[in-house]
Amino acid sequence: MQRLRKDDDPRNSKTFPDKGSPKEEVFAALKEYKKDDLDWRSGRVWAYTYHDNTMEEIEQVAKHAYMEFLTESGLDPTVFPSLMRFENELVSMSANHVNGGPDVVGNFTSGGTESIMLAVKTARDWARAHRPHITKPNMVLPVTAHAAFHKAGQYMDVETKTTPVDSTTFRALVEPMREAVDENTILIVGSAPSYGHGVIDPMEEIGQVAVEKDILYHVDACMGGFALPYFRRLGEDIPPFGFEVPGVTSLSMDLHKYAYTPKGASIILYKDKDLRRHQIFSFSQWTGYTMINNTIQSTKTGGPIAAAWATVKYLGDDGYLKLAEKALRTRKAVVDGINRIPKLRVLSHPQMTLVGFTSDEVNVFHIIDEMKERGWYVQPQLAYDNSPANIHLSINPSNEKWVDAVLADLAECVEVAAKLPKSDLAETVQQMFASINPDDLTPEMFSNMLNMAGVQGHEVPERMAEINMILDALPPLIRERLLGEFVNDLFVYRGE
Ligand SMILES: *Cc1c(COP(=O)(O)O)cnc(C)c1O
């Protein structure tokens, strides 16, 4: 076989393999590549994965279904009707779970981001059809709404107008949302719950604004869509957040989070087909096949959809209730435990399994590094608006067995971290950049900043506190540019 690229620059020198390799060698290489990945099965990881390690069979069932449909294609529903059947059944079950009536329709997507991007695209195209006077559409959303809305706004050219949240509950303030809606607003957003603090926005009041102003209303239930109805059944005070709320026109709920299915699985729902029509892409002005797509992907594997269907079937209502009970118990124990640790406080009162906690005395980024040294993975969240820098936990049933251990280590880490210095560099950087316009900064300047913080090429230091303190000190627009440059440099081949 001809080499695809030949170049002496090591960055571009990875050539296509000349000859095939025995499968054993390929399999061994897969294992070798995996060795530094996060050991999420341990239950010591408090983000990224959703999992219960006492039920190994969930994974077996999902993998079986995934492999069975790995090679089927979701491009054309008429030739693989199995996939359409899985999709319609999953959509119907999901709609039912969030009080969707008989008119509610939806689709299976690759994740929360795709669901949200489709909701924004649908709103934009609905407005083009029904509000033709709007030439510069915008959406109104609380500052706690997921970054995916801003991504959708950037991709789809819909402006985002963010509004403040209460500084103790971190719930959306409705009056500023009402005031932010103008004649160009096409969509308003609420989260059930928000990722950062795990609290549910005043969904009904936001719905009133939507009805009053006659605009579309998207509920981001990516996290809560599957779990919250169980929490309610378990006696938690969970306010209405689904299609029973007047004004709701679309809702996203991720299967690959608290429905415990493999990644690449989410559901987008619409109040009816009239609205969903604006999501569909149908095109025949070219020389190939007529392309009709519900979602962003076209040719796609049937794996995630079959695996999601199989997982839901296998677990069933009783299985999900048990998992919810375990996750809820774990969250309660963790929140109570954190609030008992001197110098720590949980932000607001998390209503689901997502927790943000902070310290007014100790730098949280040192705490995160200390936790990492003790084998725990927890997620940093930088300060923004009235939310201080904090530590995020997405709690899973598999974390339950570690509750006492994690709280004991956390208490110890707080004391160790309290003795560690603040970053002088962070303060210098803060002063330097306070008045700089990010557009005046060149990629070279960003690369120098990264080097100063200890990032060499694509190697990040073991201890991330200094980098996190610098990021936290920087104006958000500069943070974004810096991280963009970092990732732009990360995805470059640099040799073995
Ligand atoms: C995870 C999440 C998303 C984005 O979903 P992905 O599946 O990561 O693309 C959106 N909203 C909320 C509230 C989330 O937690």
Side-chain angles (χ1 to χ4, degrees):
M1 187 181 282
Q2 204 187 344
R3 285 168 188 254
L4 291 183
R5 280 197 241 122
K6 242 184 175 165
D7 189 335
D8 287 338
D9 177 358
R11 290 178 167 227
N12 292 320
S13 68
K14 186 70 176 174
T15 50
F16 218 77
D18 281 328
K19 289 200 189 81
S21 315
K23 66 174 195 267
E24 292 73 20
E25 254 173 53
V26 177
F27 295 164
L30 295 179
K31 282 231 156 53
E32 159 66 18
Y33 273 44
K34 218 177 183 181
K35 71 179 191 313
D36 296 328
D37 287 357
L38 201 62
D39 178 17
W40 59 271
R41 276 194 190 81
S42 64
R44 296 174 68 96
V45 170
W46 302 72
Y48 290 115
T49 53
Y50 305 86
H51 167 243
D52 179 33
N53 54 3
T54 61
M55 294 179 79
E56 255 168 49
E57 279 197 358
I58 302 175
E59 202 180 319
Q60 267 173 31
V61 169
K63 280 186 171 162
H64 178 94
Y66 200 109
M67 295 323 289
E68 179 117 8
F69 283 85
L70 172 74
T71 48
E72 326 310 289
S73 171
L75 175 64
D76 181 346
T78 62
V79 290
F80 291 104
S82 57
L83 299 181
M84 184 169 60
R85 194 169 165 197
F86 290 141
E87 179 158 344
N88 281 336
E89 291 186 18
L90 277 171
V91 165
S92 166
M93 291 188 268
S94 305
N96 193 260
H97 207 59
V98 292
N99 298 311
D103 290 341
V104 169
V105 292
N107 289 100
F108 182 90
T109 75
S110 64
T113 300
E114 188 181 358
S115 291
I116 288 168
M117 294 189 69
L118 288 169
V120 172
K121 183 251 189 251
T122 301
R124 187 199 62 183
D125 290 358
W126 177 88
R128 283 178 178 171
H130 297 275
R131 306 280 155 84
H133 65 277
I134 297 181
T135 52
K136 270 191 71 59
N138 69 59
M139 58 181 141
V140 168
L141 61 161
V143 66
T144 47
H146 198 275
F149 290 96
H150 299 273
K151 181 174 176 180
Q154 288 186 18
Y155 276 45
M156 242 79 71
D157 203 15
V158 174
E159 190 199 334
T160 49
K161 293 178 82 176
T162 49
T163 56
V165 297
D166 182 89
S167 56
T168 49
T169 66
F170 294 99
R171 280 196 190 88
L173 293 169
V174 179
E175 249 347 276
M177 294 186 85
R178 180 176 278 114
E179 282 160 28
V181 173
D182 61 25
E183 66 283 2
N184 293 320
T185 302
I186 59 166
L187 184 69
I188 196 167
V189 173
S191 308
S194 63
Y195 184 90
H197 307 94
V199 299
I200 304 168
D201 284 328
M203 306 311 283
E204 291 179 292
E205 285 92 323
I206 299 173
Q208 278 165 18
V209 177
V211 171
E212 229 171 80
K213 308 274 186 181
D214 195 18
I215 52 175
L216 301 177
Y217 175 20
H218 182 81
V219 172
D220 182 3
C222 281
M223 277 291 179
F226 289 98
L228 287 176
Y230 291 108
F231 279 34
R232 188 183 287 140
R233 273 162 61 183
L234 292 165
E236 293 296 287
D237 181 17
I238 303 296
F241 69 91
F243 283 94
E244 74 277 27
V245 173
V248 171
T249 53
S250 59
L251 182 149
S252 47
M253 49 202 290
D254 290 352
L255 288 152
H256 65 198
K257 287 174 181 164
Y258 288 99
Y260 304 97
T261 77
K263 302 262 183 289
S266 172
I267 298 285
I268 175 70
L269 299 172
Y270 295 98
K271 72 174 173 52
D272 57 30
K273 275 162 62 187
D274 266 346
L275 180 56
R276 199 260 302 267
R277 179 171 296 116
H278 299 282
Q279 176 187 277
I280 298 165
F281 176 81
S282 170
F283 192 81
S284 68
Q285 304 170 58
W286 72 310
T287 53
Y289 56 92
T290 297
M291 197 159 103
I292 315 155
N293 293 147
N294 279 313
T295 60
I296 295 177
Q297 289 179 301
S298 198
T299 294
K300 60 181 177 186
T301 164
I305 193 165
W309 184 90
T311 305
V312 171
K313 275 283 195 198
Y314 172 73
L315 278 169
D317 197 55
D318 57 339
Y320 280 114
L321 188 64
K322 267 193 216 126
L323 287 174
E325 195 173 6
K326 199 168 167 189
L328 180 62
R329 237 182 7 239
T330 310
R331 187 266 283 162
K332 286 184 171 171
V334 168
V335 167
D336 291 350
I338 293 173
N339 279 329
R340 276 199 304 269
I341 296 175
K343 305 191 181 84
L344 291 185
R345 66 185 172 93
V346 172
L347 297 170
S348 188
H349 298 281
Q351 289 165 289
M352 218 184 92
T353 42
L354 313 172
V355 174
F357 65 98
T358 193
S359 173
D360 300 320
E361 296 152 67
V362 184
N363 190 289
V364 290
F365 304 121
H366 281 317
I367 300 177
I368 292 170
D369 280 352
E370 288 301 317
M371 290 293 280
K372 192 169 160 199
E373 296 223 331
R374 287 162 181 75
W376 303 103
Y377 183 85
V378 295
Q379 204 176 36
Q381 295 191 132
L382 304 180
Y384 187 73
D385 206 60
N386 58 6
S387 180
N390 66 84
I391 302 176
H392 174 93
L393 310 175
S394 289
I395 292 169
N396 281 255
S398 60
N399 297 133
E400 186 174 43
K401 65 175 181 187
W402 294 110
V403 169
D404 291 340
V406 80
L407 290 170
D409 275 353
L410 189 56
E412 204 180 291
C413 290
V414 171
E415 292 313 317
V416 176
K419 300 194 181 78
L420 295 172
K422 271 189 89 174
S423 162
D424 293 335
L425 202 53
E427 282 180 22
T428 316
V429 160
Q430 186 167 33
Q431 285 157 12
M432 270 166 61
F433 289 93
S435 57
I436 287 181
N437 177 353
D439 294 336
D440 296 339
L441 296 171
T442 63
E444 291 68 38
M445 287 165 155
F446 284 111
S447 139
N448 289 340
M449 276 166 71
L450 286 166
N451 288 340
M452 265 163 58
V455 181
Q456 303 292 341
H458 59 314
E459 295 287 337
V460 294
E462 262 306 296
R463 293 188 73 96
M464 290 289 290
E466 176 122 59
I467 291 175
N468 281 324
M469 283 182 220
I470 291 172
L471 287 172
D472 202 55
L474 286 170
L477 285 173
I478 297 184
R479 279 180 198 165
E480 288 170 2
R481 281 283 306 278
L482 184 70
L483 293 170
E485 292 296 334
F486 172 63
V487 170
N488 196 15
D489 204 40
L490 197 58
F491 284 83
V492 171
Y493 179 69
R494 289 192 164 78
E496 306 280 313

